[in-house]
Amino acid sequence: MKKILFITLLTTLLFSCGKKEENGNIDSLIASKNLVSIKAKRAELQAELTKLDDAIAVLDIKKSTEALVSVSVVKDTVFSHYLEIQGSVNTKENLIIYPQFSGILNTLNIKAGQKVSKGQVLGTIDDGGLSQQLAQMETQLALAKTTFERQKRLWDQKIGSEIQYLQSQTNMVSQQKAVSQMKAQLGKTRIIAPFSGVIDEVLAEKGQVVGPGQGLMRIVNLNNMYVSTEVPESYIGKLKVGTAVNVFLTSLGKTYVGKIRQVANNINPNNRSFGIEVSVPNTDNLLRPNQVAKLKIVDYTNAKAVVVPSNVIQEDADGNQFIFEATSIKDKTGIAKKVMVKVGKTSENFTEILDGIAPKAVIVSDGVNTVSEGMKLNF
């Protein structure tokens, strides 16, 4: 029995080993076939890559000798250069009203936002009995005047002494001056609008004790607005009274047309500049003191200037500036020609050409960075 069992186990073991060897041979065969297929595919891909490289090389050669660009015709036109500078909106009629007399604020006839006229009484301060004193002084003045008139009639009739006549005259004049002074003092108890405008804010209340140095209210007139700024010293002689100015209000996104109304005669030694004022019409009542404004002032104009976009101007290693001109134009092709130019002023991405390019010349306007001397241009 043991022998039979041993023989069975041995047979099974030999069969298993034979099966493993057979499976190993099959795997090797499959791996060998896959390798051949991969090598063939690799060779095929390599051939495709070689074709692509050859095609790219041909395109690079063509690219180095040709360029796709846009061109434009140079024209002579009106060219203006602007001085651009920042300023601040202001008005000379913007002030806080202070009392000239100490006392209790008896009346306050206005409120914030109210329109007032020049000379209008905005409020009154208790006069502390000055009005009663004025009444007494006016009575004394009336008596002094009557006395003088009687003395004058007597003097005209050669009656009485000259000293009596002169004394009565002096007394009357003295009383007149005293009354005038008292009226002026009483006038300080009234708060008067110095100009027409709007009460922007009220700083005191009725019944409050007020005095000089204490603000009562702010009054603003927006009808006489201007922009003040400082201009570099180099612009002396270029800016004159009446010069038109474009005033852009950043907070409003609007542009107003103003005029220079004042040019300072003094140079600020700290920053070598001088001040100007530009009047601005406030037709829509949107301007306010202390708004930020950007000024554009024309300081140079050429009625027949040769102007090109600033980005077409190139510069070589020696600092010489040049433009590519399209020559030998045929249909939609041409040859690039490097033209040295002398430039003038630049304004709003356009530059004035003083020499080198004439009107009606065709220049490269887009794609200029891909162009070189003698290159074929396609446009």
Side-chain angles (χ1 to χ4, degrees):
M1 186 67 181
K2 290 182 180 179
K3 289 182 178 180
I4 294 171
L5 182 59
F6 177 75
I7 292 169
T8 302
L9 291 173
L10 181 61
T11 302
T12 302
L13 181 61
L14 290 174
F15 178 78
S16 299
C17 291
K19 189 174 181 181
K20 287 182 180 180
E21 182 177 355
E22 182 180 355
N23 289 338
N25 291 336
I26 292 172
D27 290 341
S28 298
L29 181 61
I30 291 172
S32 176
K33 288 182 178 180
N34 286 341
L35 182 61
V36 172
S37 176
I38 290 171
K39 286 182 177 181
K41 189 66 175 177
R42 180 181 178 184
E44 182 180 347
L45 290 174
Q46 188 63 46
E48 292 294 332
L49 288 173
T50 301
K51 291 180 180 179
L52 288 174
D53 289 340
D54 293 341
I56 291 172
V58 171
L59 289 175
D60 286 341
I61 293 173
K62 185 176 181 180
K63 184 178 179 180
S64 63
T65 58
E66 296 185 15
L68 180 63
V69 298
S70 296
V71 295
S72 61
V73 179
V74 176
K75 299 179 181 179
D76 56 350
T77 184
V78 177
F79 175 78
S80 296
H81 181 266
Y82 298 89
L83 165 65
E84 298 188 26
I85 198 166
Q86 184 170 295
S88 177
V89 178
N90 252 312
T91 175
K92 294 189 183 297
E93 296 181 335
N94 173 23
L95 58 83
I96 295 177
I97 298 177
Y98 295 91
Q100 297 178 300
F101 193 84
S102 297
I104 299 173
L105 189 60
N106 277 345
T107 60
L108 197 60
N109 306 325
I110 48 83
K111 59 183 179 181
Q114 180 178 333
K115 292 183 178 181
V116 296
S117 302
K118 182 179 180 180
Q120 180 177 335
V121 178
L122 308 179
T124 59
I125 301 172
D126 182 68
D127 60 21
L130 291 182
S131 57
Q132 295 177 355
Q133 295 180 35
L134 176 61
Q136 293 175 358
M137 295 173 70
E138 287 178 335
T139 300
Q140 293 174 357
L141 173 60
L143 178 60
K145 187 176 180 181
T146 301
T147 302
F148 169 71
E149 290 174 348
R150 289 179 178 180
Q151 287 294 332
K152 185 176 184 303
R153 285 197 298 269
L154 292 172
W155 178 249
D156 292 341
Q157 297 173 10
K158 306 298 181 179
I159 302 173
S161 64
E162 183 180 4
I163 190 67
Q164 290 176 326
Y165 167 72
L166 293 176
Q167 284 178 343
S168 63
Q169 185 184 43
T170 302
N171 186 37
M172 182 190 68
V173 171
S174 178
Q175 287 297 326
Q176 286 176 337
K177 289 182 178 179
V179 169
S180 296
Q181 290 176 355
M182 183 57 68
K183 286 183 176 180
Q185 190 70 7
L186 268 174
K188 294 180 180 180
T189 64
R190 296 191 306 163
I191 304 161
I192 306 297
F195 52 80
S196 298
V198 176
I199 301 299
D200 197 52
E201 56 182 332
V202 179
L203 306 174
E205 296 181 1
K206 181 180 177 181
Q208 181 179 340
V209 177
V210 297
Q214 178 183 353
L216 300 179
M217 61 201 72
R218 178 184 292 276
I219 181 172
V220 181
N221 183 1
L222 300 179
N223 293 328
N224 188 19
M225 306 298 289
Y226 68 95
V227 177
S228 60
T229 187
E230 290 193 337
V231 178
E233 180 182 5
S234 57
Y235 285 89
I236 291 179
K238 296 180 181 179
L239 304 184
K240 299 179 181 179
V241 174
T243 300
V245 180
N246 288 333
V247 181
F248 178 73
L249 274 298
T250 53
S251 59
L252 302 177
K254 294 187 64 175
T255 299
Y256 295 80
V257 178
K259 291 183 179 181
I260 296 178
R261 73 178 191 184
Q262 181 180 345
V263 178
N265 296 314
N266 178 62
I267 300 296
N268 187 338
N270 296 323
N271 56 11
R272 308 309 305 172
S273 64
F274 61 96
I276 64 170
E277 289 184 4
V278 179
S279 60
V280 184
N282 192 15
T283 53
D284 45 12
N285 201 38
L286 294 176
L287 299 182
R288 296 292 185 274
N290 302 315
Q291 281 178 308
V292 176
K294 294 182 179 179
L295 307 182
K296 289 178 64 176
I297 308 173
V298 178
D299 63 346
Y300 170 80
T301 300
N302 187 345
K304 290 188 176 182
V306 176
V307 179
V308 299
S310 300
N311 64 306
V312 308
I313 302 174
Q314 305 289 300
E315 188 172 305
D316 60 22
D318 297 325
N320 300 315
Q321 294 173 309
F322 62 90
I323 292 175
F324 283 112
E325 181 181 359
T327 61
S328 304
I329 297 175
K330 185 178 181 181
D331 295 330
K332 296 292 184 179
T333 63
I335 303 298
K337 179 183 178 183
K338 185 177 181 181
V339 180
M340 295 297 175
V341 295
K342 181 181 179 182
V343 302
K345 296 181 179 293
T346 297
S347 179
E348 296 183 342
N349 300 321
F350 285 92
T351 300
E352 179 187 23
I353 302 299
L354 301 178
D355 188 31
I357 290 290
K360 298 183 179 180
V362 180
I363 63 171
V364 177
S365 55
D366 286 318
V368 66
N369 294 326
T370 63
V371 178
S372 59
E373 176 76 15
M375 181 179 288
K376 182 181 179 182
L377 303 176
N378 297 308
F379 45 82

